[in-house]
Amino acid sequence: MASAKEILAEGLLAGKPVLTGHAFEIFDDRELLVLEFPFSRAAEKPGARP
């Protein structure tokens, strides 16, 4: 979540569009998707600054 927040914050500070449609995808060694973390989830969760 911290990495997604950092990417979103950098984009906002640079005046770029918010990338809430993007996601981190984690695959195992067989190339099967084991986790998808949407940036929109990081954008809606309050927390410390990245």
Side-chain angles (χ1 to χ4, degrees):
M1 183 177 303
S3 294
K5 283 183 175 286
E6 184 175 343
I7 291 168
L8 291 171
E10 286 175 0
L12 284 171
L13 291 172
K16 296 180 180 176
V18 179
L19 302 175
T20 56
H22 287 76
F24 284 120
E25 295 179 335
I26 309 298
F27 294 86
D28 67 9
D29 57 349
R30 295 173 294 169
E31 298 183 15
L32 297 173
L33 182 66
V34 294
L35 175 71
E36 182 175 21
F37 186 84
F39 282 24
S40 60
R41 194 160 167 218
E44 61 191 32
K45 296 278 186 183
R49 291 184 68 185

